[in-house]
Short mmCIF file of all heavy atoms in Angstrom, two decimals:
data_model
loop_
_atom_site.label_atom_id
_atom_site.label_comp_id
_atom_site.label_asym_id
_atom_site.label_seq_id
_atom_site.Cartn_x
_atom_site.Cartn_y
_atom_site.Cartn_z
N PRO A 39 -53.57 -90.63 -20.56
CA PRO A 39 -54.13 -91.38 -21.66
C PRO A 39 -55.67 -91.40 -21.67
O PRO A 39 -56.28 -91.56 -20.58
CB PRO A 39 -53.62 -92.79 -21.46
CG PRO A 39 -52.31 -92.57 -20.74
CD PRO A 39 -52.62 -91.40 -19.81
N ALA A 40 -56.34 -91.14 -22.79
CA ALA A 40 -57.78 -91.06 -22.89
C ALA A 40 -58.30 -92.33 -23.56
O ALA A 40 -57.54 -93.17 -24.06
CB ALA A 40 -58.22 -89.83 -23.63
N SER A 41 -59.61 -92.45 -23.59
CA SER A 41 -60.22 -93.60 -24.24
C SER A 41 -60.98 -93.21 -25.51
O SER A 41 -61.69 -92.22 -25.51
CB SER A 41 -61.22 -94.21 -23.24
OG SER A 41 -61.81 -95.37 -23.79
N PRO A 42 -60.78 -93.88 -26.61
CA PRO A 42 -59.78 -94.99 -26.79
C PRO A 42 -58.37 -94.40 -26.84
O PRO A 42 -58.20 -93.37 -27.49
CB PRO A 42 -60.19 -95.60 -28.10
CG PRO A 42 -60.88 -94.55 -28.85
CD PRO A 42 -61.52 -93.69 -27.80
N TYR A 43 -57.42 -95.03 -26.27
CA TYR A 43 -56.05 -94.53 -26.14
C TYR A 43 -55.34 -94.67 -27.50
O TYR A 43 -54.82 -93.69 -28.03
CB TYR A 43 -55.30 -95.25 -25.06
CG TYR A 43 -53.89 -94.79 -24.86
CD1 TYR A 43 -53.53 -93.45 -24.94
CD2 TYR A 43 -52.88 -95.72 -24.53
CE1 TYR A 43 -52.22 -93.06 -24.75
CE2 TYR A 43 -51.60 -95.28 -24.30
CZ TYR A 43 -51.25 -93.99 -24.44
OH TYR A 43 -49.98 -93.55 -24.23
N LEU A 44 -55.29 -95.86 -28.04
CA LEU A 44 -54.60 -96.11 -29.37
C LEU A 44 -55.58 -96.67 -30.34
O LEU A 44 -56.20 -97.68 -30.04
CB LEU A 44 -53.46 -97.12 -29.14
CG LEU A 44 -52.39 -96.71 -28.12
CD1 LEU A 44 -51.38 -97.87 -27.88
CD2 LEU A 44 -51.69 -95.44 -28.47
N THR A 45 -55.71 -96.04 -31.49
CA THR A 45 -56.63 -96.47 -32.54
C THR A 45 -55.89 -96.56 -33.86
O THR A 45 -55.29 -95.62 -34.29
CB THR A 45 -57.83 -95.45 -32.69
OG1 THR A 45 -58.45 -95.30 -31.41
CG2 THR A 45 -58.86 -95.99 -33.68
N ASN A 57 -53.81 -93.35 -34.12
CA ASN A 57 -54.23 -92.14 -33.44
C ASN A 57 -54.00 -92.38 -31.93
O ASN A 57 -54.41 -93.41 -31.43
CB ASN A 57 -55.70 -91.85 -33.71
CG ASN A 57 -55.99 -91.55 -35.15
OD1 ASN A 57 -55.10 -91.15 -35.88
ND2 ASN A 57 -57.21 -91.73 -35.61
N VAL A 58 -53.40 -91.35 -31.30
CA VAL A 58 -53.11 -91.45 -29.86
C VAL A 58 -53.91 -90.34 -29.20
O VAL A 58 -53.78 -89.18 -29.60
CB VAL A 58 -51.60 -91.26 -29.58
CG1 VAL A 58 -51.29 -91.43 -28.10
CG2 VAL A 58 -50.79 -92.26 -30.44
N ARG A 59 -54.77 -90.74 -28.24
CA ARG A 59 -55.66 -89.80 -27.62
C ARG A 59 -55.27 -89.54 -26.13
O ARG A 59 -54.94 -90.46 -25.43
CB ARG A 59 -57.06 -90.33 -27.65
CG ARG A 59 -58.13 -89.33 -27.50
CD ARG A 59 -59.50 -89.90 -27.71
NE ARG A 59 -59.78 -89.90 -29.15
CZ ARG A 59 -60.97 -90.11 -29.66
NH1 ARG A 59 -62.01 -90.33 -28.89
NH2 ARG A 59 -61.14 -90.12 -30.97
N PHE A 60 -55.22 -88.29 -25.80
CA PHE A 60 -54.90 -87.85 -24.40
C PHE A 60 -56.01 -86.95 -23.84
O PHE A 60 -56.65 -86.22 -24.63
CB PHE A 60 -53.62 -87.05 -24.40
CG PHE A 60 -52.40 -87.84 -24.78
CD1 PHE A 60 -51.85 -87.68 -26.03
CD2 PHE A 60 -51.81 -88.71 -23.86
CE1 PHE A 60 -50.73 -88.37 -26.41
CE2 PHE A 60 -50.66 -89.42 -24.26
CZ PHE A 60 -50.11 -89.25 -25.49
N GLU A 120 -56.09 -85.42 -29.80
CA GLU A 120 -55.63 -86.62 -30.55
C GLU A 120 -54.48 -86.27 -31.49
O GLU A 120 -54.54 -85.20 -32.14
CB GLU A 120 -56.79 -87.24 -31.31
CG GLU A 120 -56.48 -88.58 -31.90
CD GLU A 120 -57.74 -89.22 -32.43
OE1 GLU A 120 -58.13 -88.94 -33.58
OE2 GLU A 120 -58.40 -89.99 -31.72
#
Side-chain angles (χ1 to χ4, degrees):
S41 184
Y43 181 39
L44 304 173
T45 306
N57 295 339
V58 184
R59 199 172 278 194
F60 295 102
E120 188 170 87

